Amino acid sequence: MNRLFKIYTVIAVVLAFSINSCTTGKSGSNMAESSYDSKIDSLMSLMTLEEKIGQTVMYSGGWDKTGPTVSANNKKYIREGSVGAMLNVFSAKGTRDLQKIAVEETRLGIPLLFGYDVIHGHRTIFPINLGLAASWDLEEIENGSRIAAEEASAEGIHWTFAPMVDIARDPRWGRISEGAGEDVYLCSEIAKAYVKGFQGDDLSANNTILACAKHFVGYGAGQAGRDYHTVNMGENELRNTYLPPFKAAVDAGAETFMTAFNELNGVPASGNKFLYRQILRDEWKFKGFVVSDYTAIFEMVQHGFATDNKDAARLAINAGTDMDMMGEVNRMYLKELIEEGKVKKETVEEACRKILEAKFKLGLFDDPYRYSDEAREKETIYKKEFLEAARKSAASSLVLLKNDKKALPLTKNKTIALIGPLAKDEENIIGNWAAAGDRRGRAVSIFEGLQEYVSKTNILYAQGCDIESDDESRFKEAVAIAKKADVIVMVMGEDYDMSGEAASRTNIKLPGNQTEFIRTIADAVPNKQLILVLMNGRPLDLSEENLLADAILEAWFPGTMGGLGIADVLFGAYNPSGKLPVTFPRNIGQIPIYYNMKNTGRPIPPDNPKEDYKSNYIDVANTPLYPFGYGLSYTNFEYKDFKISSKEITKTDKLIANVTISNTGNYDGYEVVQLYVHDKVGSITRPVKELKGFQKVFLKKGEHKRIRFTLTAGDLKFYGYDMKFKAEPGVFEIAIAGSSDFDFKESFTLKND
Ligand code: BGC
């Protein structure tokens, strides 16, 4: 047999395994045993140990604006069958070319898996994830990730490294922008929406991609808000706060998990058996595979946990990290480690099996090029309906923080002074982690967006200052146009690179001289309304801006259609409905600050918050500037007639909580109605408030609706001191409100039986 004939014989055998597989790639298969076992067994019986190890190795292609670039070494390793997956390669052609090497030039022709960070859109960029969370709109989030999957899959991507479901309570941390904020319940619901959107309900369809819940776990709790930093927390906090969004992702069928860079209680995540073997696999029955974060495996050497790279490889695979992203320690050391008896052959085989299974589920053995179709790519990316969805999402992610004297919405016939470093920007507006989104030529700036409502001649523009500098030379020009206009819109904020990975800040005020600039304008034209539109990837300290501006609209980084979404809100075509998914502190010294803190033994008396020897500050209030769940609307919503169905429930009963919401203002609009409880006494102390449900309801002006929530003992469960997950009998306070800032007035008792 000549070599070519041999290769094609093997490919034929492999393809034969996959017959029928395309109809059985249902998502959510974490629940069921694999239906691919016999195909995988047959394939693995042909594989050498090196080839099995190869499946656990992921390399990066790297890419530039015009297309993917892949180093010669990567290609060499792919040809040898030593690579199972690639990251940072996209486009139908780029992925097809590499796939061709894997399929046609390796001994067994096993297709590669292409992974990429499709975080808040692929080409059509949606608001950053913190902004998406501010919409509290699960349907919209699911739809946005469905669109991202459509676009990414059309560009050859099989797998997204998303969602990031890390709870984040420290605005200094740059990656707070990438998650859903501070709350366990909200983050968990949003985690499910992302997974469903990316994976759809049939992974064998060519427009669905694998999701990856990351970073397991505790990454958001790094000390001092520094990226990659040490995390220490009790198992109790881990289980009650940081694990639930990951569990939600497993329940929604997430096929893959990513390790975290941080250590947790002294053990780096990538080598943490307790996390991957005990919790993820034994307790949660997760059946997918775990990829390390970037070079996280060999970073265990720097952590002081592994003696060298080889030791790191041993620790990671034994702990349950199946795939090595970038680090190549698996390729270099796993064989030796097996020969030395430090890693069992079966451990590597188990990892290989799970990775192959993902490839079968995606239908790659049926057609390895099914995601790499140039015609489909062309007709899919930036589709009109995707852009429309992104515009709607941009509008619904905005949070109106302040609106004195009804400064907003704007009326169309006025002259606007449009000022600030982000007013004409189309580079920052799509935010960090913007996948393959174009930073030039695609995104709609605010300047352009406004032109849908007012003529260009009615917009007087001056940049005035930079995002970060102390140059005041252009303040004057801005003051001059502010004097000429009827209303002032200042667009200020952070550079997109000031949040995201490795972008922690110790100062969370507006950068450079922006605050000074706002003060200059406010002082120069005190009688004109000053609207502040903010783009930023984290909660900022806005204490001074809150005094200077008449209205503040938090726009995060709103994505490709951001300028239009913002214009829709400024002119009232979309009534703002966003609510904060994270607390905005008064100043950095209050961090960590989140709504569901504990009470302490010396809580402050509400009527005397400054009382001595209470848990307060001597210089600033305990309360945040803007609380979790908060956000204004152009209309008013009144909450009345709150009722619960019973004052007592058993562990099998349902409690119904009802409230009437009336839209008493002049605009139709959405309200995010929030259900909170407080478990008054527990075997471990409980947070002062916990979100347990929410509904986003639309009410026409003058309309009212009775809103109903159902609560069961299951919703009241938590991990106690004994690490058992249960609801404890006792008194619970309960309320329905439009933000986390309210006082409980009603309670019920959970009885013992
Ligand atoms: C990040 C991950 C990301 C990976 C691949 C890492 O630095 O922490 O979230 O998925 O890079 O780009």
Side-chain angles (χ1 to χ4, degrees):
M1 265 193 306
N2 68 29
R3 186 174 142 72
L4 203 66
F5 180 75
K6 233 199 265 171
I7 289 167
Y8 284 108
T9 310
V10 177
I11 291 170
V13 176
V14 172
L15 289 178
F17 300 136
S18 65
I19 291 171
N20 300 330
S21 66
C22 62
T23 50
T24 49
K26 292 274 182 252
S27 185
S29 55
N30 287 316
M31 304 301 137
E33 285 309 312
S34 169
S35 53
Y36 300 97
D37 279 352
S38 61
K39 290 170 193 142
I40 298 170
D41 286 343
S42 316
L43 177 53
M44 284 182 62
S45 70
L46 299 174
M47 293 171 79
T48 62
L49 180 58
E50 285 86 342
E51 283 163 343
K52 288 174 187 163
I53 292 170
Q55 288 304 303
T56 74
V57 174
M58 173 183 251
Y59 278 124
S60 169
W63 52 271
D64 61 26
K65 285 268 177 272
T66 50
T69 55
V70 181
S71 82
N73 256 359
N74 287 347
K75 285 191 182 160
K76 173 175 165 277
Y77 292 136
I78 293 173
R79 267 185 200 104
E80 285 172 4
S82 312
V83 182
M86 292 292 292
L87 78 150
N88 289 348
V89 181
F90 65 86
S91 80
K93 180 166 183 331
T95 51
R96 175 177 282 271
D97 288 351
L98 278 185
Q99 194 67 295
K100 220 166 162 223
I101 301 179
V103 172
E104 293 184 13
E105 298 182 43
T106 64
R107 204 179 68 89
L108 291 176
I110 300 174
L112 291 166
L113 195 60
F114 291 107
Y116 193 45
D117 290 284
V118 179
I119 308 293
H120 52 105
H122 177 67
R123 288 277 183 182
T124 303
I125 301 300
F126 284 74
I128 56 164
N129 306 82
L130 195 58
L132 286 171
S135 73
W136 296 56
D137 195 325
L138 300 175
E139 236 173 76
E140 215 169 81
I141 293 172
E142 182 177 333
N143 187 43
S145 44
R146 186 83 291 285
I147 290 171
E150 287 267 355
E151 288 190 333
S153 62
E155 293 220 286
I157 306 300
H158 309 132
W159 176 25
T160 174
F161 305 131
M164 181 185 108
V165 301
D166 295 306
I167 297 274
R169 296 177 164 180
D170 193 328
R172 292 172 296 186
W173 190 49
R175 296 193 85 167
I176 197 169
S177 61
E178 207 185 322
E182 71 186 35
D183 182 60
V184 180
Y185 181 81
L186 182 61
C187 286
S188 303
E189 292 302 297
I190 289 179
K192 291 190 241 169
Y194 279 122
V195 172
K196 283 194 222 154
F198 290 131
Q199 295 192 169
D201 43 36
D202 183 3
L203 272 177
S204 73
N206 71 352
N207 62 355
T208 51
I209 58 179
L210 305 172
C212 179
K214 71 186 188 184
H215 308 82
F216 201 57
V217 61
Y219 189 33
Q223 287 175 2
R226 231 170 69 195
D227 214 350
Y228 320 122
H229 208 352
T230 309
V231 176
N232 271 310
M233 69 172 72
E235 190 174 331
N236 222 273
E237 187 174 2
L238 180 71
R239 288 189 182 270
N240 284 323
T241 305
Y242 288 85
L243 287 178
F246 287 95
K247 174 67 165 59
V250 173
D251 292 345
E255 294 283 343
T256 73
F257 260 55
M258 188 186 289
T259 70
F261 282 124
N262 56 279
E263 63 164 69
L264 176 70
N265 301 329
V267 181
S270 303
N272 200 320
K273 264 194 183 149
F274 167 66
L275 295 179
Y276 296 101
R277 298 264 176 226
Q278 184 178 321
I279 294 183
L280 190 57
R281 301 232 161 75
D282 293 352
E283 293 182 22
W284 295 356
K285 314 289 176 223
F286 173 71
K287 298 275 191 288
F289 73 87
V290 174
V291 62
S292 76
D293 199 350
Y294 222 67
T295 45
I297 298 183
F298 71 63
E299 286 176 24
M300 289 197 283
V301 178
Q302 295 287 354
H303 274 285
F305 189 67
T307 49
D308 53 24
N309 288 354
K310 183 171 164 186
D311 196 34
R314 173 186 68 83
L315 287 162
I317 194 91
N318 285 343
T321 303
D322 302 300
M323 186 184 275
D324 174 10
M325 187 196 288
M326 296 294 293
E328 71 173 352
V329 295
N330 281 9
R331 187 182 64 78
M332 289 170 73
Y333 304 112
L334 283 188
K335 188 162 178 238
E336 246 172 84
L337 286 163
I338 291 170
E339 283 161 5
E340 289 165 11
K342 292 184 179 150
V343 169
K344 288 197 189 118
K345 188 164 66 79
E346 292 73 25
T347 307
V348 173
E349 284 176 338
E350 187 201 358
C352 169
R353 165 175 288 277
K354 284 182 289 192
I355 294 160
L356 289 175
E357 189 182 348
K359 295 181 180 185
F360 271 107
K361 283 182 182 168
L362 290 167
L364 296 181
F365 286 102
D366 298 300
D367 175 5
Y369 306 109
R370 62 207 311 264
Y371 285 66
S372 307
D373 170 346
E374 284 180 77
R376 187 180 144 217
E377 173 177 48
K378 222 179 195 167
E379 74 201 24
T380 304
I381 61 171
Y382 290 124
K383 248 191 205 169
K384 193 163 165 264
E385 72 225 52
F386 296 171
L387 292 167
E388 273 161 18
R391 176 174 181 167
K392 166 83 191 335
S393 230
S396 66
S397 71
L398 306 187
V399 184
L400 185 62
L401 296 175
K402 179 178 178 184
N403 195 20
D404 278 6
K405 294 178 258 152
K406 296 206 164 78
L408 287 175
L410 301 173
T411 47
K412 286 189 183 172
N413 47 5
K414 300 244 169 90
T415 310
I416 299 171
L418 182 66
I419 298 173
L422 290 157
K424 274 195 173 177
D425 168 272
E426 46 177 89
E427 190 180 340
N428 290 290
I429 200 164
I430 63 171
N432 210 308
W433 285 116
D438 296 287
R439 287 211 184 268
R440 294 233 169 256
R442 257 303 164 176
V444 183
S445 70
I446 296 187
F447 179 65
E448 280 174 85
L450 290 181
Q451 288 170 44
E452 201 151 290
Y453 292 93
V454 281
S455 78
K456 206 168 169 176
T457 48
N458 275 349
I459 306 174
L460 312 175
Y461 166 77
Q463 182 178 325
C465 72
D466 300 311
I467 292 179
E468 192 168 29
S469 87
D470 54 8
D471 176 11
E472 296 182 0
S473 63
R474 288 159 295 165
F475 282 18
K476 238 200 207 151
E477 182 201 351
V479 168
I481 67 151
K483 284 186 173 161
K484 278 194 219 149
D486 298 314
V487 59
I488 302 151
V489 176
M490 297 189 76
V491 190
M492 316 297 280
E494 296 180 306
D495 193 295
Y496 79 87
D497 246 353
M498 288 178 176
S499 57
E501 189 173 348
S504 292
R505 295 181 67 198
T506 62
N507 171 355
I508 55 164
K509 292 184 186 224
L510 282 172
N513 57 8
Q514 293 189 50
T515 304
E516 216 178 310
F517 180 43
I518 299 169
R519 201 184 312 118
T520 306
I521 299 284
D523 288 350
V525 277
N527 301 322
K528 289 189 185 165
Q529 294 201 314
L530 196 162
I531 320 292
L532 187 58
V533 178
L534 294 169
M535 287 190 217
N536 44 279
R538 57 162 56 74
L540 293 174
D541 165 355
L542 299 171
S543 302
E544 188 163 356
E545 290 72 12
N546 188 48
L547 300 174
L548 295 170
D550 297 291
I552 304 182
L553 185 64
E554 175 55 73
W556 317 105
F557 291 106
T560 308
M561 300 298 275
L564 283 160
I566 290 172
D568 293 339
V569 167
L570 289 178
F571 284 94
Y574 185 92
N575 184 358
S577 58
K579 302 271 186 170
L580 292 179
V582 64
T583 304
F584 274 46
R586 291 180 189 277
N587 68 33
I588 201 157
Q590 289 184 312
I591 295 170
I593 177 169
Y594 44 93
Y595 83 94
N596 49 359
M597 298 196 108
K598 301 288 184 76
N599 209 30
T600 82
R602 293 187 179 192
I604 50 172
D607 49 348
N608 185 14
K610 293 218 153 177
E611 194 178 308
D612 239 358
Y613 298 101
K614 296 293 180 191
S615 182
N616 51 19
Y617 300 100
I618 54 173
D619 58 348
V620 78
N622 279 12
T623 53
L625 186 62
Y626 308 118
F628 172 84
Y630 166 83
L632 302 172
S633 162
Y634 295 152
T635 194
N636 297 315
F637 295 105
E638 263 179 32
Y639 286 63
K640 275 190 305 205
D641 300 329
F642 176 65
K643 292 224 164 58
I644 51 173
S645 56
S646 171
K647 292 293 273 179
E648 276 185 351
I649 58 165
T650 65
K651 287 191 172 157
T652 51
D653 284 344
K654 283 186 175 135
L655 182 85
I656 313 292
N658 285 291
V659 78
T660 299
I661 319 268
S662 311
N663 180 345
T664 57
N666 288 323
Y667 294 84
D668 303 344
Y670 288 97
E671 167 70 338
V672 178
V673 185
Q674 303 157 41
L675 172 75
Y676 291 91
V677 300
H678 171 210
D679 185 349
K680 288 196 77 172
V681 180
S683 61
I684 58 161
T685 60
R686 310 296 301 128
V688 291
K689 280 171 188 163
E690 285 180 282
L691 182 73
K692 290 292 176 188
F694 62 87
Q695 293 175 39
K696 189 166 173 176
V697 264
F698 185 76
L699 291 170
K700 288 189 167 304
K701 59 182 171 184
E703 195 184 357
H704 63 268
K705 275 185 187 159
R706 194 85 182 136
I707 306 298
R708 170 192 161 109
F709 287 94
T710 306
L711 199 74
T712 65
D715 300 312
L716 306 173
K717 287 185 176 173
F718 64 96
Y719 287 90
Y721 204 70
D722 53 4
M723 295 307 149
K724 298 238 164 71
F725 190 54
K726 56 178 189 281
E728 294 179 354
V731 177
F732 291 79
E733 293 183 294
I734 180 164
I736 298 177
S739 116
S740 66
D741 182 21
F742 66 86
D743 295 323
F744 284 109
K745 294 199 178 67
E746 188 60 83
S747 62
F748 67 92
T749 302
L750 175 66
K751 292 200 300 186
N752 221 340
D753 46 8

